[in-house]
Coordinates of all heavy atoms in Angstrom, one line a residue:
T1 N 56.6 -9.8 99.0 CA 55.6 -9.0 99.8 C 54.6 -8.4 98.8 O 55.0 -7.4 98.1 CB 56.2 -7.9 100.7 OG1 57.1 -8.5 101.6 CG2 55.1 -7.2 101.5
P2 N 53.5 -9.0 98.5 CA 52.8 -8.5 97.3 C 51.9 -7.3 97.5 O 51.6 -7.0 98.6 CB 51.8 -9.8 97.1 CG 51.6 -10.3 98.4 CD 52.8 -10.0 99.2
T3 N 51.7 -6.7 96.4 CA 50.7 -5.6 96.3 C 49.6 -6.1 95.5 O 49.7 -5.9 94.2 CB 51.3 -4.2 95.8 OG1 52.5 -4.0 96.6 CG2 50.3 -3.2 95.9
P4 N 48.6 -6.8 95.9 CA 47.6 -7.4 95.0 C 46.7 -6.4 94.5 O 46.2 -5.4 95.2 CB 47.0 -8.4 96.0 CG 47.1 -7.7 97.3 CD 48.4 -7.1 97.3
T5 N 46.2 -6.6 93.2 CA 45.2 -6.0 92.6 C 44.2 -6.9 92.1 O 44.2 -7.2 90.9 CB 45.6 -5.0 91.5 OG1 46.4 -5.8 90.5 CG2 46.6 -3.9 92.1
P6 N 43.5 -7.6 93.0 CA 42.6 -8.8 92.6 C 41.5 -8.3 91.7 O 40.9 -7.2 91.9 CB 42.2 -9.4 93.9 CG 42.2 -8.2 94.9 CD 43.3 -7.4 94.5
S7 N 41.2 -9.1 90.7 CA 40.0 -8.9 90.0 C 39.2 -10.2 89.9 O 39.8 -11.2 90.1 CB 40.4 -8.5 88.5 OG 41.0 -9.5 87.9
V8 N 37.9 -10.0 89.9 CA 37.0 -11.2 89.9 C 36.7 -11.6 88.5 O 36.4 -10.9 87.7 CB 35.7 -10.8 90.7 CG1 34.8 -12.0 90.7 CG2 36.1 -10.3 92.1
S9 N 36.8 -12.9 88.4 CA 36.5 -13.5 87.0 C 35.1 -13.3 86.7 O 34.2 -13.5 87.4 CB 36.9 -15.1 87.1 OG 36.3 -15.6 85.9
P10 N 34.8 -12.8 85.4 CA 33.4 -12.6 85.0 C 32.6 -13.8 85.0 O 31.4 -13.8 85.0 CB 33.6 -12.0 83.6 CG 35.0 -11.5 83.5 CD 35.8 -12.4 84.4
S11 N 33.2 -15.0 84.9 CA 32.5 -16.3 84.8 C 31.8 -16.6 86.1 O 30.9 -17.4 86.1 CB 33.5 -17.4 84.5 OG 34.4 -17.6 85.5
V12 N 32.3 -16.0 87.2 CA 31.5 -16.3 88.5 C 30.8 -15.0 89.1 O 29.8 -15.2 89.7 CB 32.5 -16.8 89.6 CG1 32.9 -18.2 89.2 CG2 33.7 -15.9 89.8
S13 N 31.4 -13.9 88.8 CA 30.7 -12.7 89.2 C 30.1 -12.6 90.5 O 28.9 -12.3 90.6 CB 29.6 -12.3 88.1 OG 30.2 -12.3 86.8
P14 N 30.8 -12.9 91.6 CA 30.2 -12.8 92.9 C 30.0 -11.3 93.3 O 30.9 -10.5 93.0 CB 31.2 -13.4 93.8 CG 32.5 -13.3 93.1 CD 32.2 -13.3 91.7
S15 N 29.0 -11.1 94.0 CA 28.8 -9.7 94.5 C 28.8 -9.7 96.0 O 28.1 -10.5 96.6 CB 27.3 -9.2 94.0 OG 27.0 -8.0 94.7
P16 N 29.5 -8.7 96.5 CA 29.6 -8.7 98.0 C 28.3 -8.4 98.7 O 28.2 -8.4 99.9 CB 30.7 -7.6 98.3 CG 30.7 -6.7 97.0 CD 30.4 -7.7 95.9
S17 N 27.4 -7.9 98.0 CA 26.0 -7.5 98.5 C 25.1 -8.7 98.5 O 24.0 -8.6 99.0 CB 25.4 -6.4 97.8 OG 25.2 -6.7 96.4
V18 N 25.5 -9.9 97.9 CA 24.6 -10.9 97.8 C 25.0 -12.1 98.8 O 26.1 -12.5 98.8 CB 24.6 -11.6 96.4 CG1 23.6 -12.8 96.4 CG2 24.2 -10.5 95.4
S19 N 24.2 -12.4 99.7 CA 24.4 -13.5 100.7 C 24.6 -14.9 100.0 O 23.9 -15.1 99.0 CB 23.3 -13.6 101.8 OG 23.2 -12.4 102.5
P20 N 25.5 -15.7 100.5 CA 25.7 -17.0 99.9 C 24.4 -17.8 100.1 O 23.8 -17.7 101.1 CB 26.9 -17.6 100.7 CG 26.9 -16.8 101.9 CD 26.5 -15.5 101.6
S21 N 24.1 -18.6 99.2 CA 22.9 -19.5 99.2 C 23.2 -20.9 99.9 O 24.3 -21.3 99.8 CB 22.2 -19.6 97.9 OG 23.1 -20.2 97.0
V22 N 22.2 -21.5 100.3 CA 22.4 -22.9 100.9 C 22.2 -23.9 99.8 O 21.3 -23.8 99.0 CB 21.4 -23.2 102.0 CG1 21.6 -24.5 102.5 CG2 21.5 -22.1 103.1
S23 N 23.2 -24.8 99.6 CA 23.1 -25.8 98.6 C 21.9 -26.7 98.8 O 21.7 -27.2 99.9 CB 24.4 -26.6 98.6 OG 24.2 -27.7 97.8
P24 N 21.2 -26.9 97.8 CA 20.0 -27.8 97.8 C 20.4 -29.2 97.7 O 19.6 -30.1 97.8 CB 19.1 -27.4 96.7 CG 20.0 -26.8 95.7 CD 21.2 -26.2 96.4
S25 N 21.7 -29.5 97.2 CA 22.1 -30.9 97.1 C 23.2 -31.3 98.1 O 23.7 -30.3 98.7 CB 22.8 -30.9 95.6 OG 23.8 -30.1 95.5
P26 N 23.4 -32.5 98.3 CA 24.3 -33.0 99.3 C 25.7 -32.5 99.0 O 26.2 -32.4 97.9 CB 24.3 -34.5 99.1 CG 23.0 -34.8 98.5 CD 22.7 -33.7 97.6
S27 N 26.4 -32.0 100.0 CA 27.8 -31.5 99.9 C 28.7 -32.6 100.1 O 28.4 -33.7 100.7 CB 28.1 -30.4 100.9 OG 27.9 -30.9 102.2
P28 N 30.0 -32.6 99.6 CA 31.0 -33.6 99.8 C 31.3 -33.9 101.2 O 31.2 -33.0 102.0 CB 32.2 -33.2 99.0 CG 31.8 -32.0 98.1 CD 30.5 -31.4 98.8
Q29 N 31.7 -35.1 101.5 CA 32.1 -35.4 102.9 C 33.4 -34.7 103.2 O 34.3 -34.6 102.3 CB 32.4 -36.9 103.1 CG 32.7 -37.3 104.5 CD 32.6 -38.7 104.7 OE1 31.9 -39.4 104.1 NE2 33.5 -39.2 105.6
P30 N 33.5 -34.0 104.4 CA 34.8 -33.3 104.7 C 35.9 -34.2 104.7 O 35.9 -35.5 104.6 CB 34.5 -32.7 106.1 CG 33.0 -32.5 106.2 CD 32.5 -33.7 105.3
A31 N 37.1 -33.6 104.9 CA 38.4 -34.3 104.5 C 38.7 -35.5 105.5 O 39.5 -36.3 105.2 CB 39.5 -33.3 104.5
D32 N 38.3 -35.4 106.8 CA 38.6 -36.4 107.7 C 37.5 -36.6 108.7 O 36.5 -35.8 108.7 CB 39.9 -36.0 108.4 CG 39.8 -34.8 109.2 OD1 39.0 -34.7 110.1 OD2 40.5 -33.9 108.9
P33 N 37.5 -37.7 109.5 CA 36.4 -38.0 110.4 C 36.1 -36.9 111.4 O 34.9 -36.6 111.7 CB 37.0 -39.2 111.2 CG 37.8 -39.9 110.2 CD 38.6 -38.8 109.4

């Protein structure tokens, strides 16, 4: 039963105040039909 203390990797630095952007390039095909 964990007590997590997550930290965010500096290499990606996501900010909860920034909305995710839409990819301008094609995304991979999902896993099944």
Side-chain angles (χ1 to χ4, degrees):
T1 303
T3 305
T5 57
S7 62
V8 179
S9 167
S11 62
V12 290
S13 302
S15 169
S17 64
V18 178
S19 297
S21 61
V22 180
S23 167
S25 59
S27 57
Q29 182 169 331
D32 63 60

